[in-house]
Amino acid sequence: MFLPSLGPQQPVTATSPTKSQFDMEEKIQQKDVQKYFRGQKAENGLQNLVVREFEPADKQEVQQLFHDGMMEMVADTAFRGLRHHPESLLLYAAMTVLCFVITVCWWVIVLLPLILLYGRYFYSRRMIHRYLEQASSRDMGDIQGFYMKSNSRLWVAVLRGKVVGIVAAVGQQKPGGAVELRWMSVDRSCRRCGIGLALGRKVVEFAVAHKYRSVVLGTTSYTSPAHQLYRRLGFRLVGFTDGYVTPGVRRGLPEGIFYRVRHHHYKLDVQR
């Protein structure tokens, strides 16, 4: 599972509760989460799972998990995402009909859709590679300097001495406002056993401890488990952007035709 942001989120605000109400809500939530994790660990053999802050020795494993998670987005965007964009389907159909009218060859109707699908895969892969290059020169190139600061953090989930999950959070410099869940990735062999939920709770706890009003995130993932995880953490979908362009990543006409994604915006109020 990879839940990338692929761009900064706009800060959001909410009304703060009284201290007694907030403390009571937090105690109830903590008890529910602890009860859930006890059941999950016993059921899935995760008694030895540890979620802790990033250490310099984790860098190579973290970078590999980040890379693997991003590369999973290629097929997700190229194929699964196509059914979410009827305008792209209409464009490809029009291109197929036009080519048939020009060439009057029936094989065009069969061959051209395959070429278009390959084009989606090729340009999705190219855009993901560009994003990885950008990330390696910024946050992923200096994880310690970028994330291990007062307003940001990166956590790793460790199982039997191996890093099997990562999550990053970046908050606003000023008090209050929002903290962004930047991205999350879990090893394919360790999914559907509560690791993503444990990592997500770390971000929520970070937001509460630093008195942020909300947690926001954005994802271009089309996979159902990713969105189900957000809802289990308490997030609600507040909107989406079609034709989203990743900030700082070059995009030309071919990318505009073959790489079209929907950016989902989620929000969780931690103070009401």
Side-chain angles (χ1 to χ4, degrees), residues 60-158:
Q60 186 174 353
E61 290 181 285
V62 169
Q63 289 176 330
Q64 188 62 52
L65 266 177
F66 178 78
H67 177 274
D68 293 346
M70 281 303 304
M71 292 309 296
E72 287 184 39
M73 295 294 296
V74 175
D76 182 56
T77 301
F79 306 129
R80 187 179 290 110
L82 183 57
R83 63 189 179 93
H84 294 271
H85 296 280
E87 71 283 359
S88 294
L89 289 170
L90 183 61
L91 174 63
Y92 300 157
M95 292 171 65
T96 302
V97 171
L98 180 61
C99 288
F100 174 73
V101 170
I102 294 173
T103 63
V104 196
C105 294
W106 286 101
W107 58 264
V108 169
I109 297 178
V110 176
L111 186 60
L112 189 58
L114 297 177
I115 295 175
L116 291 172
L117 285 175
Y118 175 76
R120 286 185 62 86
Y121 180 84
F122 177 83
Y123 284 102
S124 294
R125 186 180 178 88
R126 172 177 284 190
M127 292 295 288
I128 295 298
H129 276 161
R130 288 177 180 174
Y131 178 75
L132 285 170
E133 290 173 1
Q134 181 194 62
S136 65
S137 64
R138 296 180 64 249
D139 55 332
M140 295 308 296
D142 182 18
I143 299 174
Q144 184 73 26
F146 192 92
Y147 286 111
M148 306 312 291
K149 300 185 295 188
S150 60
N151 69 316
S152 59
R153 201 73 80 241
L154 190 149
W155 295 270
V156 298
V158 181

